[in-house]
Amino acid sequence: MTLTNNSVLVTPGSGATLATNSPGSGTTEYHVAIPATAAGHLAESVPTYTVQLPQIDGAANRYHWELFNGATSGLTLTVRYVAGASSSDTITTNNLANRFDLFRTTALSSGGTAFTTESSSTASANFCRWDTNDSALPSTVTLKTVVTSITTGAWLCPRFVTAALGVASRWDVTMADRLNWLAGEATDDPGVEWLSSKPFVLRPGQGLAIRQGTVVSARSFVWLLEFEAV
Amino acid sequence: MALANDTIKITPGSGATVATHAPGSGTTEYQVVTMADSTGHLVETKPTYLLAIPQITNTANRFHWELFNGSSATTITVRAVYPVPQTDVAVVGAVSARYDFYRTTAWGSGGTAHNFESSSTLSANFSRVDTNDPSLVGSGISCLTVLTSITTGAWLFQSYVFPEETNPAAVLIQGINLIPQRTWGKELVLRPSQGLAIKQGTIASVGATGWLLAFTTE
């Protein structure tokens, strides 16, 4: 991430060079600025991480995963993207979607399979940096799959993920794969570069977990998460 | 609307420090600015809340829910309303459920109360997206589901939601914000003693629809 690294004092006739742009005939100078977050981080400079999860078989009431920000991480995670999809490279004609409920958690879950970091394996949940110049995440930021139980804080929302493939009309199987289940205000705001509302925040000692509903398809599900860590 | 209501004066050789950034070779300074909305709140800093509403069976003329601002001084800005059809239950039907959205001007009557930050998925539930923000407990902000009646103000808009699990529309609608979105202009504002409620149309349709709302307060 990048914070402002300098300042200027205005001195008539001298001083630093300020960026400007002179469009068209070029007789008027327009000040060129860099937008920043409320914390002062320049646009598109905050370290951003993804977690791609492997296929997890559907099972009634299964806790598919928990992203947890450990109490001593020293980081605040801003979760900007949670997308779920079914494994549509195998055929099933079950038309029922599968329900998933998102919860904030308040303690690390029990059980579950550990993650990897920047691994080439597609068998485990895998943390990656979008930019390898950013810091690696501390070991206290974790993602476990198929956990035994979670410590539920608030129920955030339910979402339904299509499970069918092999039914000609189910083109939503892949079309819905990149819907952001945690979008809030932003999903379809055209041209909006900034928002008044907050994104979803995980403070130290908090997590985000997902539980499948009672309906099960012969299907596995994959997830892609993206978050910032500051 | 709001116009800038203040200015700063430049004092040669002194004055406030203006943030800049010098990328690359560093010979040119770019002023760094933080955006704010017309209330002066910086980008992504307003207290933001989710309201998850469990699946409610479609029934003709049903008042499915009402978000009501019963506070004395809080302004709610509703930024997103997403339908969440219950597509893990098979239903048979070929028509959508029509929902009419109303601004309300008094509490509705009847209905089931909400929870605050509960882990239960059975009732409407308010949750903060950032637990550092104020809780809504005691705020006067409420959500009732399946009301007996509402006090209708203006009819705002309507939307059709297709409930049948075999149709892709029932899944994809979860990703579409029913509040019209555009770059500029106001969002839907609920002043004190105002609410947002939906009433189903005269066609019963089938199935059930849940909802996810996102709103800010100031």
Side-chain angles (χ1 to χ4, degrees):
Chain A
M1 60 194 155
T2 307
L3 292 171
T4 297
N5 68 357
N6 211 343
S7 64
V8 294
L9 297 176
V10 176
T11 306
S14 64
T17 301
L18 278 175
T20 61
N21 183 43
S22 183
S25 59
T27 57
T28 302
E29 298 291 331
Y30 290 78
H31 194 179
V32 179
I34 299 174
T37 69
H41 298 294
L42 305 192
E44 298 187 352
S45 73
V46 177
T48 305
Y49 304 85
T50 63
V51 198
Q52 176 65 58
L53 278 70
Q55 282 70 25
I56 298 172
D57 289 340
N61 302 312
R62 167 167 279 178
Y63 298 105
H64 279 238
W65 52 262
E66 180 192 50
L67 169 67
F68 197 78
N69 183 16
T72 59
S73 73
L75 295 171
T76 298
L77 307 188
T78 301
V79 184
R80 294 193 178 274
Y81 189 82
V82 176
S86 61
S87 53
S88 54
D89 56 355
T90 55
I91 297 289
T92 175
T93 55
N94 178 9
N95 257 316
L96 294 181
N98 282 200
R99 171 180 174 148
F100 294 89
D101 288 292
L102 278 75
F103 296 91
R104 186 189 295 276
T105 60
T106 56
L108 184 62
S109 58
S110 63
T113 301
F115 59 93
T116 56
T117 299
E118 315 251 349
S119 167
S120 60
S121 169
T122 61
S124 299
N126 191 45
F127 282 106
C128 279
R129 296 166 288 185
W130 276 135
D131 181 352
T132 54
N133 278 7
D134 290 334
S135 300
L137 288 168
S139 60
T140 46
V141 175
T142 59
L143 191 138
K144 294 194 296 181
T145 51
V146 193
V147 299
T148 307
S149 65
I150 63 172
T151 304
T152 49
W155 173 48
L156 300 172
C157 62
R159 291 301 192 184
F160 293 84
V161 178
T162 303
L165 188 72
V167 180
S169 61
R170 291 321 298 245
W171 44 266
D172 58 327
V173 166
T174 52
M175 290 293 288
D177 286 359
R178 284 293 181 267
L179 294 180
N180 186 358
W181 294 143
L182 208 53
E185 181 179 7
T187 293
D188 58 353
D189 294 8
V192 172
E193 301 295 335
W194 59 278
L195 300 169
S196 295
S197 64
K198 285 188 174 185
F200 185 75
V201 175
L202 292 179
R203 303 283 172 185
Q206 296 181 344
L208 175 67
I210 198 161
R211 184 182 72 193
Q212 188 168 349
T214 57
V215 174
V216 180
S217 295
R219 176 64 74 193
S220 57
F221 297 89
V222 297
W223 302 86
L224 175 64
L225 284 66
E226 182 190 86
F227 61 90
E228 299 166 357
V230 177
Chain B
M1 59 185 172
L3 297 173
N5 65 359
D6 206 353
T7 60
I8 56 171
K9 294 181 179 177
I10 296 171
T11 305
S14 64
T17 299
V18 176
T20 63
H21 185 72
S25 58
T27 57
T28 300
E29 301 288 339
Y30 289 76
Q31 185 174 349
V32 178
V33 295
T34 300
M35 307 297 283
D37 66 16
S38 60
T39 65
H41 291 280
L42 303 187
V43 55
E44 295 190 344
T45 63
K46 279 187 174 176
T48 304
Y49 303 88
L50 299 178
L51 171 59
I53 297 173
Q55 278 61 39
I56 297 170
T57 301
N58 287 317
T59 302
N61 300 311
R62 167 166 277 179
F63 299 105
H64 281 241
W65 52 262
E66 179 186 49
L67 166 66
F68 196 78
N69 183 4
S71 73
S72 60
T74 299
T75 299
I76 292 175
T77 302
V78 182
R79 299 184 179 276
V81 176
Y82 297 99
V84 187
Q86 187 180 42
T87 50
D88 62 351
V89 175
V91 293
V92 178
V95 297
S96 296
R98 166 182 161 170
Y99 300 108
D100 289 295
F101 287 71
Y102 295 91
R103 187 188 299 278
T104 60
T105 56
W107 293 92
S109 62
T112 302
H114 62 266
N115 289 324
F116 286 115
E117 313 239 326
S118 167
S119 62
S120 169
T121 61
L122 302 178
S123 299
N125 192 49
F126 288 100
S127 58
R128 296 167 285 187
V129 300
D130 180 353
T131 54
N132 277 12
D133 288 334
S135 165
L136 290 180
V137 174
S139 66
I141 296 170
S142 69
C143 177
L144 294 170
T145 50
V146 192
L147 296 90
T148 308
S149 66
I150 62 172
T151 303
T152 51
W155 177 43
L156 298 171
F157 57 91
Q158 70 179 211
S159 183
Y160 291 88
V161 177
F162 196 78
E164 212 270 322
E165 82 286 353
T166 64
N167 191 298
V171 171
L172 293 172
I173 193 70
Q174 296 175 104
I176 296 177
N177 185 354
L178 300 188
I179 302 285
Q181 300 294 296
R182 56 273 187 271
T183 303
W184 300 103
K186 286 192 175 185
E187 304 281 340
L188 174 59
V189 175
L190 300 180
R191 305 285 174 184
S193 298
Q194 294 183 348
L196 175 67
I198 65 168
K199 178 185 179 184
Q200 190 172 338
T202 56
I203 304 298
S205 186
V206 293
T209 305
W211 302 84
L212 175 63
L213 281 68
F215 64 90
T216 56
T217 60
E218 62 195 61

